[in-house]
Amino acid sequence: MRISVIGSGYVGIVTGATLAEAGFKITCLDILEEKISDIKRGISPIYEPGLERLIRNGLDSGNLNASTELEKHIANSDVVFVCVGTPSNEDGSIDLQYIENVSKTIGKSIKDSEKDIVVVVKSTVVPLTTEETVQKIILEESGRGRETVGIAMNPEFLREGSAVDDALNPDRIVLGCTDEKSKAALMKIYEGHTCPIMHCDPRTAEMIKYSSNSFLAAKISFVNELANMCDKWNMDFEMVAEGMGMDSRISKQFLRAGVGFGGSCFPKDVKALRRAAKNDGLGSEMLDATLSVNEKQPEIVVNMAREILGELKNKRIVVLGLAFKADTDDVRESRAFNIVEKLKNENVEVIGHDPQATEAFAEESGITCTDDLEEALRDADCAIIQTEWNEYKSIKPEFLCNLMKKPVVIDGRRTFDNGYFAGTGVEYVAIGLGN
Ligand code: NAD
């Protein structure tokens, strides 16, 4: 089976590299020359633990190839996975321009071929998109009939930071097939997996993805609201979360309070689902609340800094962690932008630190960023932890006392155990810790 993966970003390259590892012949396609030439040289275009090793394995075994020649490779493929981005429009609705462009390219590529092909949408798209946009454009553009072009929606659930492991060992696989051809191809591709495989129609598969992300985002906002109450009433939300998590219906996962969710998926997916519902006359009060709580969380750490330092003007504050979460270099919708923006508005000298994401963050925010922790902390009045990198967990109190002008740590991710800094001279506050 020859498989092409269109779009070699976070989802595409992980899909390509893990399928190549499973023994399939994969070509990763992208319009960006630089990305493709990196992959061909065994360099991962993104930072993701374990990914570069898989890319090199794939190149060495001959199972993985990369190219910018989309039409040629699509025409030779039995299956193509669509993994291009689906960002937000200004009004929060899904921007389908990349999906539409790729659908046209697929249609053109298979126009003169008699070979059967299966097109699998892995990008996150709002319900009905696979049938009413992707399938429609491909059939129109190619002039071919439904019987030779299989169409399916197979949502991706990987998490950045553990993407390789998630792709190799998913909790579940959802197959929204329109026909037997695509079902047979996908069952062959996923036959090595032992997790549950659920079959449904494409629109249900699309909705499962949005519902899952929206539920997780809502859980975070709900927990953050509870943590803010715990702050007010002077108790540690972590203990409350521990008690809640013992209920198997609630589960321990996603009960961490903090500065809110960011990343390339939760914010845009919640907005897209909300907009799609509104367009069809449906209310979405839970989604509205999920987003509005999330917008307020970054303000809390800035308020904490003001309470401790007084006027923030001309203070030097370090934001520790710029990536939207640990173990990724992805800064899309990172809460660090919101925190930095608020600090800049108060004329703070803001320094950003991150082990992997300084370049992208500096370019977008305009602040000075470094991957040198010592340099970042030197003479700082305060450090705000925004990403829970392991590197921060091992910071010793003496290190902060020796370097910082005022050893103040404001923890936006509950990185440290309560009591870690007790009696060390470091002033420590955290969201949901109480006083
Ligand atoms: P990304 O921006 O990292 O990658 C998209 C890639 O598609 C880019 O490399 C871009 O150059 C390429 N591209 C754009 N137009 C193209 C075209 N016409 N032909 C070929 N390549 C083209 O995006 P991503 O984070 O990998 O997300 C892709 C999709 O998967 C989105 O719908 C997203 O919501 C979904 N998703 C993402 C994650 C995640 O953690 N990043 C997880 C699950 C689902």
Side-chain angles (χ1 to χ4, degrees):
M1 197 187 286
R2 302 199 73 85
I3 301 175
S4 286
V5 178
I6 310 178
S8 302
Y10 286 83
V11 168
I13 186 59
V14 172
T15 302
T18 51
L19 288 178
E21 184 77 6
F24 293 99
K25 293 278 177 213
I26 305 295
T27 307
C28 283
L29 301 170
D30 208 286
I31 44 175
L32 299 178
E33 289 278 359
E34 202 186 311
K35 220 169 237 193
I36 293 304
S37 90
D38 276 353
I39 297 171
K40 281 178 150 172
R41 287 182 296 138
I43 299 168
S44 173
I46 53 167
Y47 173 75
E48 190 61 48
L51 181 58
E52 205 155 84
R53 188 180 55 79
L54 285 197
I55 293 175
R56 294 202 175 140
N57 285 352
L59 294 171
D60 291 346
S61 67
N63 283 348
L64 185 67
N65 177 23
S67 173
T68 51
E69 292 179 279
L70 272 81
E71 292 192 22
K72 178 179 127 191
H73 288 283
I74 293 168
N76 284 329
S77 295
D78 301 296
V79 176
V80 297
F81 281 96
V82 175
C83 301
V84 294
T86 48
S88 297
N89 287 313
E90 278 288 301
D91 65 357
S93 61
I94 185 170
D95 175 356
L96 285 176
Q97 61 168 307
Y98 304 106
I99 291 285
E100 287 166 357
N101 285 343
V102 164
S103 304
K104 281 185 198 147
T105 305
I106 296 171
K108 257 200 254 161
S109 312
I110 62 170
K111 199 178 178 132
D112 301 320
S113 146
E114 311 239 300
K115 194 170 154 14
D116 283 6
I117 191 163
V118 168
V119 178
V120 184
V121 177
K122 240 187 193 308
S123 300
T124 303
V125 290
V126 290
L128 308 182
T129 306
T130 299
E131 294 150 282
E132 294 186 359
T133 302
V134 179
Q135 185 173 38
K136 185 164 170 278
I137 294 177
I138 293 174
L139 295 182
E140 269 172 19
E141 200 72 38
S142 65
R144 288 176 52 168
R146 277 167 189 254
E147 56 305 336
T148 62
V149 184
I151 301 274
M153 204 282 147
N154 166 218
E156 180 53 61
F157 297 102
L158 64 77
R159 295 161 300 173
E160 288 179 26
S162 55
V164 169
D165 193 45
D166 290 345
L168 293 172
N169 305 295
D171 287 340
R172 78 304 208 181
I173 292 166
V174 175
L175 302 181
C177 301
T178 57
D179 52 89
E180 287 305 317
K181 198 190 316 297
S182 58
K183 191 170 170 183
L186 284 166
M187 286 305 283
K188 179 94 198 126
I189 289 170
Y190 291 123
E191 74 183 351
H193 289 275
T194 51
C195 67
I197 297 187
M198 179 184 168
H199 296 277
C200 55
D201 55 22
R203 65 188 66 185
T204 307
E206 291 161 339
M207 191 62 182
I208 289 171
K209 173 67 190 173
Y210 274 98
S211 306
S212 303
N213 273 4
S214 298
F215 182 83
L216 293 171
K219 196 170 175 187
I220 294 171
S221 280
F222 182 68
V223 153
N224 282 336
E225 199 165 81
L226 297 177
N228 297 342
M229 293 176 202
C230 288
D231 266 340
K232 191 80 186 164
W233 298 328
N234 195 17
M235 63 188 114
D236 183 353
F237 177 71
E238 266 192 7
M239 289 190 75
V240 175
E242 192 184 332
M244 288 169 72
M246 287 171 187
D247 185 328
S248 59
R249 295 168 303 175
I250 295 175
S251 117
K252 289 187 178 62
Q253 308 273 322
F254 275 68
L255 291 185
R256 306 280 306 276
V259 286
F261 58 80
S264 67
C265 293
F266 285 2
K268 85 166 170 69
D269 291 350
V270 176
K271 283 180 201 156
L273 184 60
R274 175 172 76 161
R275 192 73 228 177
K278 280 204 173 120
N279 286 350
D280 280 330
L282 298 168
S284 55
E285 285 158 54
M286 290 290 290
L287 302 181
D288 289 343
T290 300
L291 291 167
S292 84
V293 170
N294 200 49
E295 279 317 299
K296 290 180 196 135
Q297 286 307 108
E299 185 75 46
I300 295 173
V301 287
V302 176
N303 290 342
M304 284 173 163
R306 207 180 294 107
E307 262 169 45
I308 296 172
L309 302 177
E311 201 191 341
L312 295 181
K313 193 174 168 191
N314 296 333
K315 296 280 188 323
R316 181 179 158 98
I317 297 184
V318 188
V319 177
L320 295 179
L322 307 170
F324 85 91
K325 67 189 273 197
D327 290 325
T328 178
D329 57 359
D330 196 346
V331 300
R332 290 179 284 184
E333 298 277 340
S334 169
R335 302 279 84 193
F337 287 113
N338 308 58
I339 296 169
V340 165
E341 203 48 46
K342 289 178 198 311
L343 293 172
K344 272 166 68 179
N345 287 344
E346 305 213 21
N347 291 318
V348 169
E349 183 196 348
V350 196
I351 314 294
H353 173 273
D354 196 282
Q356 295 294 338
T358 47
E359 211 175 299
F361 195 88
E363 199 175 304
E364 220 179 300
S365 67
I367 65 159
T368 304
C369 297
T370 172
D371 57 7
D372 181 334
L373 195 54
E374 229 176 284
E375 184 187 325
L377 288 166
R378 186 165 295 120
D379 294 329
D381 292 283
C382 159
I384 297 176
I385 301 183
Q386 193 289 135
T387 315
E388 202 186 351
W389 282 101
N390 269 333
E391 186 172 348
Y392 302 146
K393 289 184 192 158
S394 55
I395 291 179
K396 297 271 177 289
E398 316 80 82
F399 183 71
L400 299 174
C401 293
N402 291 338
L403 279 173
M404 296 176 76
K405 194 188 288 173
K406 206 169 176 327
V408 174
V409 174
I410 297 174
D411 195 346
R413 295 290 176 195
R414 292 306 298 268
T415 313
F416 295 102
D417 285 340
N418 189 10
Y420 179 78
F421 290 111
T424 64
V426 175
E427 188 167 353
Y428 177 73
V429 290
I431 291 183
L433 180 61
N435 298 317

